[in-house]
Amino acid sequence: MTSATLTKPSRRAVLAGSAAAAGAFTFGFSIPFADEASAQGAGSVKEINAWVVVKPDDTVVIRIARSEMGQGTLTGLAQLVAEELNADWSKVTTEYPTPGENIVRKRVWGNFSTGGSRGIRESHEYVRKGGAAARTMLIQAAAAQWNVPAAECAAEKSVISHKSSGRSIRYGQVAEAASKLEAPKDVALKDPKDWTIAGKPLKRLDTVAKTNGSKVYGADLKMPGMLNAAIKDCPVFGGKVKSFEAAKVSSMPGVKHVLPVGETAVAVVAETWWQAKTALDALPIVWDEGEHAKVSSESLAEWLKEGLDAPQAVVGNQVGDVKGAIANAARVVEAVYAYPFQNHATMEPMNATALWTPERCEVWTPTQNGEAALAATAEASGLPLAKCEAYKIDLGGGFGRRGAVHDWVTQVVRIAKQVPGTPIKLLWSREEDMTHGRYHPLTQCKLTGALDKDGNLTGLHMRISGQSIVAGIFPQNIQNGRDPVVFQGLNAPGPEASIGYGIPNLLIDHAMRNPHVPPGFWRGVNLNQNTIYLECFMDELAHAAGKDPLEFRRALMKNHPKHLAVLNAAAEKAEWGKPLPAGVFRGICQTMGFGSYVAAVAEVSVSDDGKLKIHRIVAATDPGHAVNPAQIERQVEGSFVYGLSAALHGECTVKDGRIVEENFDTYTVMRLDEMPKVETVIVPSGGFWGGVGEPTIAVAAPAVFNAIFAATGKRVRTVPLAKTDLRKA
């Protein structure tokens, strides 16, 4: 579809019309551009530009290319557009453009990917310009109608006024005329100090629908004639289906089809999902598990351990002569840390609905990247990209799982292709979701620190051994054996994930070890374990030097003012150094990732029988600009839930080549009684745009682990914490 067809009858208009006739094409799911298409040039709904649509009642529809998965990106981006538009926030709503439309319109909406905390930080400028351009066009249209200079007109809360004549007009009244104007080539953006919508703690646009049950997720989607599919993939990654006996379940209630899905999986299609799952559970399947069936967590740990001293490793960051510093040190401190596989464990398992015909294939799915979902659709369908479309639905959790890899989309299209003309909804069971994820990478880290006679850190060697996410997902991006993502939080000074310490002799390298369990971009990615490794070891060094952990860090941060500022902010808020109640102890840490600077102080107690109580965490964050302070606080709190769940409980183990943990009874998440009080300190310094959703995850675990040492004298070097006995000797 071209932009011109938005005002002509189109397939979307036909679908929308059919929906009205049928009662519901989908259960509560809106089709992008349906309003404009159904208007058929009647002047009722007008696109001012790609980002802004204005209706006659002054409703402003802001198009958001990034995905909403609970993190608040949808509201934040809408605030930025509405700010420049000078819109009435009470009349703002949103919709997702489709990736197919984005391609046809030469990617006018830019990047659809929502990961790496990039939703706002990498699209703020062009979405703001979209709002500013639309405001300019609306003002020009009003000025032309009044025959006055546009410079004499102003807009506020979706109303344009001409002060000298006292005239005013609503956006909805001039939208049609504005839509016919040429967009301005250059627009000035507001100074953040003048914001009235952006920068304010406004309520989220999606909250009401989530609380009253009207919000539709992919698992809720309904279509006329739809059938439901359940799937089972080979339990060992890399294995295949050897055989299955379809006749054994074909006559079970509701069953319509028993189908192979590629070489590795089998699906049952039935009238209801429970019928499909019941039949699938009864289906005799013989697997060819292959050589990986011999792999265990123990064998993987030994393999990674070898990498800690391997002669070959790729350098990520290097300064000075580390070997010399260690050789000449007054004291050498060494420790080995380990981090396990972890599952994203989204509340909503992977799912998608597909409709395939020889002429077209369409998919409806929760996705963090609509363009990647479209690419997977086209590849699996066997149809040209122009004959495919992917419709994005809000996500019941993403955390990176629904981003780079769209295996469930490939599966549903392969199923739908075998049942042409029938909508097929594929929903993974919780067990399938847990055992066929894209897991947080498995790594170990050996740290060696050199202290001089005064307890100053003169050298540090960090050897990381383990998995590369990029090698597993984008192998073409590995250059000379180096995965740059491995070194998050450990990079040389710069705008992204840089180390916050000035260490005269430094070597950080990586011995790549890629097991058969596939890696994925798990919320916070490698910043999580790297911050544990570095910040817990910094505590070890401070203790060895006989120095206060805060002062030890400060001495190394003179040339890292933004790192130091958040560290000081967290320490000040937590009243570091002030006596605590008996039995309560503090731990501190800091890091930089996803363009933002973060620090945390945790307060914990540990009972004689080893029971941990996390009383309080103070978190300071500098994201440059704070688009919605209330949402930043919620993101920080939510990130601690996620980060502490991982630190305390999160581990996926391997036995006979397969993931052992199949549900939340064995893959435990944090309970309410474990959650500490969280205090958020926002210290936006301006001048840059950082992420919010992921950075603070990384400081949750090391702050708590360092506090545990203060309380017990025991170091936590292996995640999850459940592996460490905290009982007092």
Side-chain angles (χ1 to χ4, degrees):
M1 182 191 299
T2 65
S3 58
T5 63
L6 290 175
T7 56
K8 298 177 182 178
S10 67
R11 189 169 188 278
R12 285 193 180 89
V14 172
L15 289 175
S18 300
F25 178 68
T26 61
F27 179 68
F29 178 67
S30 62
I31 302 172
F33 307 105
D35 285 343
E36 297 97 307
S38 62
Q40 299 184 25
S44 59
V45 178
K46 287 302 173 185
E47 175 184 292
I48 310 303
N49 59 26
W51 301 100
V52 177
V53 173
V54 178
K55 297 183 179 182
D57 64 356
D58 298 326
T59 296
V60 173
V61 181
I62 296 176
R63 292 186 179 136
I64 306 295
R66 308 286 182 164
S67 299
E68 179 58 52
M69 47 189 155
Q71 83 282 34
T73 290
L74 182 145
T75 300
L77 287 171
Q79 282 181 257
L80 290 172
V81 176
E83 178 64 58
E84 299 294 342
L85 183 62
N86 285 356
D88 181 345
W89 180 251
S90 69
K91 296 184 178 181
V92 168
T93 187
T94 62
E95 73 174 9
Y96 293 128
T98 67
E101 189 71 19
N102 197 38
I103 292 172
V104 171
R105 294 174 68 164
K106 299 180 180 179
R107 299 193 80 235
V108 64
W109 289 285
N111 195 338
F112 273 50
S113 176
T114 313
S117 298
R118 294 187 183 94
I120 288 176
R121 69 179 173 124
E122 289 191 0
S123 54
H124 64 89
E125 184 175 10
Y126 57 80
V127 304
R128 291 163 69 201
K129 286 182 176 178
R135 181 194 75 237
T136 301
M137 294 162 72
L138 288 161
I139 290 174
Q140 287 175 342
Q145 181 173 322
W146 294 330
N147 196 27
V148 300
E152 294 181 4
C153 301
E156 184 177 358
K157 292 187 176 180
S158 296
V159 175
I160 303 160
S161 59
H162 183 240
K163 186 175 181 180
S164 60
S165 66
R167 287 176 288 188
S168 65
I169 193 168
R170 296 180 290 104
Y171 278 5
Q173 294 173 293
V174 294
E176 183 170 4
S179 70
K180 298 175 182 178
L181 297 176
E182 183 178 349
K185 291 183 172 59
D186 295 304
V187 289
L189 298 178
K190 295 181 183 179
D191 189 309
K193 67 179 176 59
D194 298 323
W195 284 349
T196 60
I197 296 174
K200 306 302 178 184
L202 303 182
K203 294 179 180 178
R204 285 174 50 160
L205 296 173
D206 55 343
T207 300
V208 172
K210 289 179 177 179
T211 54
N212 66 18
S214 63
K215 173 67 67 177
V216 172
Y217 294 93
D220 304 318
L221 197 65
K222 296 179 182 178
M223 299 174 71
M226 184 180 77
L227 295 177
N228 295 271
I231 197 165
K232 189 174 289 186
D233 211 327
C234 183
V236 178
F237 294 104
K240 298 179 181 180
V241 175
K242 194 170 185 179
S243 64
F244 61 93
E245 300 178 50
K248 295 284 187 179
V249 300
S250 295
S251 60
M252 290 181 68
V255 172
K256 300 295 184 182
H257 307 279
V258 183
L259 304 169
V261 185
E263 296 182 336
T264 69
V266 182
V268 174
V269 179
E271 292 177 2
T272 71
W273 184 79
W274 189 252
Q275 289 172 335
K277 182 184 182 300
T278 301
L280 184 63
D281 288 343
L283 178 67
I285 305 173
V286 179
W287 305 105
D288 176 5
E289 297 181 348
E291 285 298 308
H292 294 149
K294 301 175 182 178
V295 178
S296 68
S297 289
E298 292 75 17
S299 66
L300 291 174
E302 284 301 313
W303 185 35
L304 266 61
K305 184 179 179 181
E306 293 172 5
L308 296 176
D309 296 304
Q312 298 298 320
V314 176
V315 174
N317 191 359
Q318 186 171 18
V319 178
D321 176 15
V322 168
K323 288 185 178 180
I326 293 172
N328 297 314
R331 182 172 182 181
V332 175
V333 180
E334 186 174 285
V336 174
Y337 286 75
Y339 201 93
F341 292 122
Q342 291 175 334
N343 196 293
H344 297 81
T346 61
M347 185 61 68
E348 179 189 27
M350 301 304 107
N351 69 85
T353 300
L355 176 61
W356 187 95
T357 70
E359 294 78 31
R360 187 167 176 83
C361 183
E362 295 177 303
V363 166
W364 292 260
T365 189
T367 172
Q368 291 179 237
N369 188 342
E371 290 180 307
L374 177 60
T377 298
E379 183 176 1
S381 71
L383 296 171
L385 199 62
K387 291 188 176 183
C388 299
E389 186 60 283
Y391 300 95
K392 184 165 59 178
I393 306 173
D394 281 1
L395 292 66
F399 315 124
R401 178 61 180 95
R402 289 180 158 105
V405 178
H406 284 72
D407 42 353
W408 73 95
V409 171
T410 297
Q411 290 176 341
V412 74
V413 172
R414 286 175 173 173
I415 297 167
K417 194 174 180 180
Q418 298 178 72
V419 193
T422 301
I424 304 292
K425 180 165 74 174
L426 171 66
L427 174 66
W428 284 17
S429 66
R430 177 61 61 189
E431 290 75 15
E432 190 72 12
D433 199 75
M434 289 297 302
T435 58
H436 289 86
R438 306 289 300 200
Y439 299 86
H440 192 297
L442 182 71
T443 64
Q444 294 180 19
C445 183
K446 182 177 181 180
L447 302 101
T448 307
L451 298 172
D452 66 15
K453 61 181 179 60
D454 297 319
N456 299 309
L457 181 62
T458 58
L460 174 65
H461 180 199
M462 289 183 66
R463 163 62 63 85
I464 299 168
S465 174
Q467 202 163 15
S468 160
I469 301 172
V470 172
I473 296 179
F474 303 121
Q476 69 276 14
N477 293 339
I478 296 291
Q479 300 295 327
N480 299 318
R482 185 177 186 272
D483 173 2
V485 181
V486 163
F487 303 101
Q488 278 185 309
L490 306 173
N491 294 320
E496 178 57 48
S498 66
I499 194 168
Y501 302 110
I503 303 171
N505 300 286
L506 176 70
L507 175 60
I508 303 172
D509 52 13
H510 176 221
M512 192 180 294
R513 299 286 188 276
N514 291 320
H516 75 295
V517 177
F521 293 103
W522 190 98
R523 186 180 180 190
V525 199
N526 293 310
L527 189 68
N528 296 318
Q529 71 269 20
N530 288 346
T531 306
I532 292 173
Y533 299 158
L534 179 60
E535 288 300 302
C536 288
F537 191 63
M538 278 291 170
D539 242 53
E540 295 204 41
L541 291 168
H543 179 72
K547 297 183 178 182
D548 174 80
L550 173 59
E551 295 306 323
F552 184 81
R553 287 172 170 82
R554 282 173 170 167
L556 295 166
M557 301 174 74
K558 295 174 183 177
N559 295 324
H560 301 270
K562 292 188 183 299
H563 290 83
L564 181 58
V566 291
L567 184 71
N568 286 337
E572 181 180 352
K573 178 68 174 177
E575 298 182 303
W576 184 271
K578 182 178 179 180
L580 285 164
V584 179
F585 298 84
R586 293 189 183 99
I588 194 167
C589 66
Q590 65 81 33
T591 193
M592 188 264 182
F594 306 96
S596 292
Y597 303 82
V598 294
V601 174
E603 296 176 0
V604 313
S605 61
V606 180
S607 65
D608 289 344
D609 60 357
K611 183 175 177 56
L612 171 70
K613 174 66 176 178
I614 309 171
H615 299 273
R616 176 190 185 211
I617 295 184
V618 174
T621 179
D622 178 4
H625 294 283
V627 174
N628 188 318
Q631 187 54 32
I632 291 175
E633 290 183 10
R634 297 182 192 110
Q635 280 281 64
V636 170
E637 292 164 1
S639 71
F640 283 149
V641 174
Y642 207 70
L644 291 175
S645 285
L648 302 181
H649 307 294
E651 181 182 28
C652 293
T653 58
V654 179
K655 182 180 180 181
D656 299 328
R658 66 198 70 203
I659 297 294
V660 173
E661 291 73 21
E662 296 185 341
N663 213 315
F664 290 122
D665 60 333
T666 50
Y667 190 77
T668 308
V669 296
M670 202 173 186
R671 301 300 196 262
L672 280 174
D673 64 349
E674 296 177 289
M675 187 64 193
K677 177 184 179 182
V678 176
E679 298 177 27
T680 303
V681 184
I682 305 171
V683 285
S685 59
F688 67 98
W689 292 73
V692 173
E694 294 175 274
T696 51
I697 294 177
V699 292
V704 169
F705 291 172
N706 289 338
I708 287 173
F709 172 77
T712 66
K714 294 186 176 183
R715 288 290 175 190
V716 181
R717 298 193 182 104
T718 301
V719 173
L721 178 65
K723 287 189 168 185
T724 302
D725 185 356
L726 298 182
R727 289 176 298 178
K728 295 180 180 178

